Amino acid sequence: MVSRGVVVIEDGRIIEDGPHEALIEAGGRYAELFRLQAKRFQEASP
Amino acid sequence: MIGPFRFVLTLGPRTDLARTPIVVAVAILEQATGVGLAILLGLFSEAASRHATSTVLVLSLCLAVFVMLTQGTFIAGYFTRLRLSEEIQNEVERRFIDVAGTTPTLEIHESPGRAGRVAAVRAGRADLREGFDRVLWLTGAVLVWVSSALLMASVVPILAVLPLFAVPVLLATRRADRARAAAVERTASRTRLAEHLFTLATTAGPGRETRLFGLAGELRRRHREQWDRSGRDIVVAELRSRTPLALAWVLFVLAYATGIVLMVRAGLTGDASLGLIIAAIAVSSQVVGQAQALLSQIFWVFESVRAARVFLEVVAEGAAERAAVVPVSPAAVPSRLERGITLEGLGFRYWNRDRPSLHGVDLELPAGAVVALVGENGAGKSTLVKLLCGLYRPGAGRVLVDGTDLAEFAPERWRARVTAAFQDPYHLEMSLGDSVGLGSLEHGDDAERILEALRTAGGTRLLDSLPEGLRTRLGRASWDGKGLSGGQWQTVANARAAMRPEPLLRVLDEPTASLDARAEEWLFEQYAGLGRSRGGVTVLVTHRLTTAQAADLIVVLDRGRVAEVGTHAALSRSGGLYAELFRLQARYFT
Ligand SMILES: Nc1ncnc2c1ncn2[C@@H]1O[C@H](COP(=O)(O)OP(=O)(O)OP(=O)(O)O)[C@@H](O)[C@H]1O
Ligand SMILES: [Mg+2]
């Protein structure tokens, strides 16, 4: 992944912060949102 | 088309028949004061010179009553005049809504010169509002003028021609006014630009960009530049018409001076009675004021008539479009689609563009299907859906709805069966309930239905976050409501589009562009099932190809043409534009 740092904001507060891989591993909100989008691409790929 | 002057003249009685006579009386009486007093003065002198004490007493009484009457009417009528003007403005605005708000297509609003005309109508509302009053005051001024002339003519008959000397002044004023109007018209685009710059610099919406880029000074400079330039043009026009105006005025003043000399002489030689001469001279002292009143009233009436002319032009434009677009005996819009919507050789070019935005589009949109429309920026997707909605007429080809040409439907009837969330949805600043509920007027008060629509659009979280629920006032541009985030506004628009039950056509132009992944997923699941079971077509424009891939049919537009049509699987295999775009997006996720 190209992004080096991701900041996740919810209800006006930073809830997660770190590199993409770390956030995916942590399995928090970012991972959830990312998976939601990725799921559709994986389903669609032949 | 009725003439603009008649339009202005009939605004009063047409708007409020009861208030009109009061306003007429006020306009006439108020101006009659001067002449009335002059006549009473003449009668006084006459009676005094004959030592007729009882007549003097009666006259005093008449004087008191007359003054009470004129002043009293004026004071009492003031609010009536004001109210009538306000009502006229309301009436004019409603008529404008009737005309501008119901044009069958949007084309007319984008046609050449239209923005200028509409700006002129907006700016001219005050002139229209005062038009009726101004005509009355002009009438009053003319009456006063004529009675003064008659009074003077009864002393020295030749003075009957005196009003004729006002004619050159009137002509010169009229010419000056025309020249000024033409100059104003020429500078209208500059004035409009200045207005636009003013809005940019002073309102909250553009305030982000203007602050971020530090634009206030620059906008101010440009604002000034536009005004200075248009101001120069107008001043030049005014200067040019000043000489004839001055000459005409000098001629008039000379004539009047002669008139007064003649009257004084008639008095000295005893050709006329003392009272008459005193009345005539008293009137002549008011003559310059009267002439000025007359001139300024004429000027103001011109302004109102001009405003009325533009207004009627815009009205006529709307009527002409209606006549051209709405079929005389429209075909019935089907209650559900059996076959679907067919596009045959569809082409469209915006009037101010060289190249067509759509060209030779042939498509079958089967009833019950969800059709995804994809393609790069400017490919023609939004244009195509606007054509389907009947907001533009095809330049070439046809749109067939179960075999019937869309042009054969009454536009309102067709649109009553269409629902849409557009790419740049307008922020309807109303209560949340209204902003959603207006998507279907007949169900606009049905809270259950509004909540259901919000649920469909994924707006439940938004609703929960607003303490006043559906009654929350939205938006900050037109009132003191709650500001929403970009995605929340989009959700409101999506909910509005979900209000209409079983539409024949559902257009969703980038409905998820501002939505977060979860909201998008929700909406996606809602719409995936919607179109199929019903007798309608859902057209979904999207750059998010995962949304497109679940559609029954994917249409790829490329520079106004259909590049590919097929299912996700077929298009992925064919290795064309769609496959390429999909791969670009998917590589980050797979
Ligand atoms: N009101 C308009 N007047 C003139 N030209 C317009 C107008 N609207 C769009 N166009 C032009 O028509 C072409 C097609 O525009 P359209 O909005 O249909 O593109 P689109 O496929 O929806 O693009 P996007 O993905 O950016 O929304 C573009 O070249 C655009 O510049
Ligand atoms: Mg678009």
Side-chain angles (χ1 to χ4, degrees):
Chain A
M1 279 305 294
V2 277
S3 79
R4 271 196 227 121
V6 179
V7 177
V8 184
I9 298 184
E10 195 166 284
D11 291 330
R13 282 181 317 125
I14 294 182
I15 54 166
E16 289 167 38
D17 172 13
H20 168 79
E21 289 78 10
L23 292 189
I24 290 292
E25 208 140 297
R29 178 56 39 90
Y30 178 75
E32 180 197 337
L33 293 176
F34 189 86
R35 237 169 257 132
L36 266 176
Q37 289 190 340
K39 185 182 77 183
R40 295 263 169 224
F41 282 104
Q42 281 142 12
E43 278 170 5
S45 298
Chain B
M1 189 175 108
I2 65 167
F5 183 73
R6 221 182 103 191
F7 179 72
V8 170
L9 190 62
T10 52
L11 269 177
R14 260 189 299 145
T15 307
D16 187 338
L17 205 51
R19 285 199 171 87
T20 302
I22 303 179
V23 175
V24 173
V26 173
I28 310 286
L29 270 181
E30 216 276 331
Q31 294 181 81
T33 317
V35 176
L37 288 179
I39 292 173
L40 281 169
L41 188 63
L43 293 173
F44 257 120
S45 322
E46 194 71 37
S49 71
R50 280 191 275 108
H51 303 289
T53 319
S54 60
T55 316
V56 170
L57 286 178
V58 171
L59 281 173
S60 311
L61 208 63
C62 289
L63 181 72
V65 170
F66 179 69
V67 170
M68 285 301 149
L69 196 67
T70 52
Q71 297 305 306
T73 341
F74 186 68
I75 295 165
Y78 177 73
F79 290 106
T80 313
R81 278 175 67 199
L82 203 62
R83 187 69 206 125
L84 184 64
S85 302
E86 285 167 359
E87 280 184 11
I88 288 175
Q89 172 162 356
N90 292 342
E91 172 68 18
V92 165
E93 286 181 1
R94 278 191 299 273
R95 276 201 62 180
F96 198 53
I97 292 178
D98 291 344
V99 192
T102 60
T103 57
T105 73
L106 286 181
E107 290 165 26
I108 191 170
H109 296 275
E110 297 183 358
S111 63
R114 170 79 181 192
R117 281 193 295 282
V118 170
V121 170
R122 290 185 75 91
R125 276 181 305 178
D127 289 317
L128 273 178
R129 164 196 162 121
E130 302 301 334
F132 180 63
D133 208 41
R134 288 173 184 171
V135 171
L136 291 182
W137 282 70
L138 177 59
T139 314
V142 170
L143 284 180
V144 165
W145 179 256
V146 170
S147 48
S148 305
L150 286 179
L151 202 57
M152 290 185 286
S154 61
V155 178
V156 183
I158 185 72
L159 292 184
V161 300
L162 213 49
L164 291 184
F165 282 89
V167 171
V169 180
L170 301 189
L171 291 180
T173 313
R174 197 177 149 138
R175 222 189 74 166
D177 182 64
R178 288 224 173 119
R180 188 176 198 280
V184 168
E185 174 118 21
R186 275 197 304 278
T187 58
S189 61
R190 287 228 183 80
T191 322
R192 217 158 4 107
L193 184 53
E195 186 69 37
H196 174 59
L197 292 168
F198 176 73
T199 311
L200 277 187
T202 55
T203 47
R208 289 173 313 212
E209 277 87 347
T210 55
R211 271 170 191 69
L212 189 75
F213 301 118
L215 299 183
E218 175 64 13
L219 291 173
R220 188 180 184 287
R221 190 186 67 69
R222 293 191 185 194
H223 180 265
R224 182 182 186 129
E225 188 181 299
Q226 297 305 329
W227 272 119
D228 282 357
R229 279 213 249 162
S230 53
R232 263 201 301 279
D233 281 6
I234 295 175
V235 166
V236 168
E238 277 176 353
L239 281 181
R240 278 209 199 105
S241 43
R242 210 157 272 185
T243 318
L245 198 57
L247 287 179
W249 185 249
V250 167
L251 180 69
F252 168 72
V253 170
L254 285 179
Y256 248 107
T258 317
I260 289 172
V261 170
L262 287 178
M263 282 189 291
V264 170
R265 216 181 59 184
L268 291 177
T269 55
D271 285 351
S273 80
L274 179 68
L276 195 57
I277 290 174
I278 289 187
I281 291 187
V283 152
S284 73
S285 70
Q286 300 166 13
V287 138
V288 176
Q290 287 172 2
Q292 261 161 358
L294 199 61
L295 285 185
S296 65
Q297 289 307 332
I298 290 175
F299 171 79
W300 287 116
V301 167
F302 277 151
E303 290 286 306
S304 292
V305 168
R306 182 159 44 245
R309 184 172 300 125
V310 193
F311 178 79
L312 292 175
E313 255 170 42
V314 174
V315 170
E317 230 170 48
E321 194 200 33
R322 186 152 279 281
V325 173
V326 181
V328 186
S329 45
V333 177
S335 59
R336 50 179 288 126
L337 290 186
E338 299 299 335
R339 279 169 285 158
I341 301 177
T342 310
L343 315 187
E344 272 183 8
L346 200 64
F348 181 79
R349 184 175 68 81
Y350 291 98
W351 70 271
N352 53 0
R353 293 295 180 125
D354 303 331
R355 283 168 23 109
S357 294
L358 290 173
H359 193 74
V361 174
D362 291 306
L363 272 179
E364 284 285 343
L365 313 175
V370 175
V371 180
L373 206 51
V374 305
E376 294 170 52
N377 292 138
K381 305 179 296 294
S382 297
T383 305
L384 180 60
V385 295
K386 284 187 280 184
L387 279 166
L388 291 179
C389 294
L391 294 172
Y392 297 103
R393 281 170 297 167
R398 308 189 291 171
V399 176
L400 299 172
V401 178
D402 265 356
T404 309
D405 193 333
L406 191 62
E408 286 176 32
F409 296 146
E412 297 84 31
R413 286 291 165 79
W414 169 240
R415 278 196 286 266
R417 301 302 313 282
V418 175
T419 189
F422 291 107
Q423 182 169 19
D424 42 1
Y426 196 76
H427 297 179
L428 275 189
E429 298 204 337
M430 301 185 171
S431 69
L432 174 63
D434 277 350
S435 198
V436 173
L438 291 185
S440 174
L441 271 184
E442 60 270 37
H443 304 110
D445 295 329
D446 185 343
E448 266 316 302
R449 187 152 200 146
I450 293 170
L451 293 175
E452 178 59 33
L454 271 167
R455 224 175 352 257
T456 307
T460 311
R461 260 170 65 109
L462 168 65
L463 182 67
D464 292 345
S465 73
L466 299 171
E468 289 170 88
L470 292 181
R471 279 199 304 279
T472 311
R473 296 161 152 230
L474 301 185
R476 311 234 10 116
S478 46
W479 63 359
D480 218 1
K482 295 261 190 310
L484 294 187
S485 76
Q488 288 170 335
W489 274 119
Q490 183 151 44
T491 300
V492 171
N494 289 338
R496 185 158 59 237
M499 279 296 288
R500 275 215 173 146
E502 307 189 4
L504 300 181
L505 171 68
R506 183 196 316 274
V507 164
L508 301 164
D509 194 348
E510 283 290 353
T512 62
S514 305
L515 297 191
D516 64 61
R518 217 177 340 184
E520 182 185 13
E521 182 69 13
W522 170 269
L523 200 68
F524 178 83
E525 278 167 6
Q526 296 303 303
Y527 283 120
L530 263 184
R532 294 180 178 85
S533 54
R534 320 259 168 90
V537 172
T538 298
V539 178
L540 177 65
V541 180
T542 183
H543 291 296
R544 304 212 186 177
L545 298 182
T546 50
T547 308
Q549 52 107 353
D552 302 301
L553 191 69
I554 298 169
V555 176
V556 186
L557 280 185
D558 186 22
R559 275 162 289 177
R561 290 168 185 277
V562 177
E564 296 165 83
V565 184
T567 59
H568 171 76
L571 292 181
S572 298
R573 275 196 305 275
S574 77
L577 185 57
Y578 178 80
E580 154 91 10
L581 292 173
F582 195 90
R583 203 170 39 72
L584 276 175
Q585 287 189 354
R587 69 189 161 146
Y588 292 106
F589 291 101
T590 49

